[in-house]
Amino acid sequence: MLAQSDDAALLEAQGLTRLSRVQPGDRGVIAEVRADHVNGHGVDVHELERRLLEFGFVEGAAFEILHQGLFGADPIAVKVDDMRVALRRRDAADVWVRLESK
């Protein structure tokens, strides 16, 4: 089994980035939802993944970052397909995306 940092490096090598690292105006496609406890969510990993999937963060869904909070750039407002969702950056770190070229 790969260590989490090795796993993240592998995903980054595939051209993916964490949703928590994107900026307003960025767009792309969700590639994977992979929750872990490293980010200290306070909920079970499976519960967090379930919530993200219920919000529409599923593989292949188109997204756009609409805006971010004033203090600490948190939360972010994400348009996922036709829904708008506010998401904390620590939760967004578990969503891997492929950005569109600008």
Side-chain angles (χ1 to χ4, degrees):
M1 184 171 159
L2 288 174
Q4 290 174 347
S5 61
D6 293 340
D7 206 20
L10 181 62
L11 292 169
E12 289 172 353
Q14 295 174 12
L16 303 179
T17 190
R18 293 180 186 270
L19 186 62
S20 60
R21 295 184 180 161
V22 299
Q23 299 299 314
D26 285 347
R27 304 170 166 220
V29 175
I30 295 171
E32 186 172 348
V33 175
R34 183 180 293 195
D36 59 42
H37 280 299
V38 172
N39 297 317
H41 301 285
V43 296
D44 180 67
V45 232
H46 302 294
E47 176 66 13
L48 178 60
E49 283 185 10
R50 185 187 65 77
R51 289 179 187 180
L52 289 168
L53 293 170
E54 285 180 357
F55 287 147
F57 291 91
V58 295
E59 186 177 330
F63 78 90
E64 177 183 1
I65 304 301
L66 301 174
H67 52 87
Q68 60 190 13
L70 184 59
F71 301 105
D74 204 24
I76 56 176
V78 184
K79 180 179 178 189
V80 182
D81 288 332
D82 292 327
M83 291 183 18
R84 285 160 179 77
V85 178
L87 191 63
R88 295 178 294 190
R89 284 198 184 264
R90 71 179 186 188
D91 295 337
D94 292 325
V95 179
W96 288 87
V97 300
R98 184 173 313 280
L99 295 173
E100 286 182 359
S101 300
K102 289 188 177 185

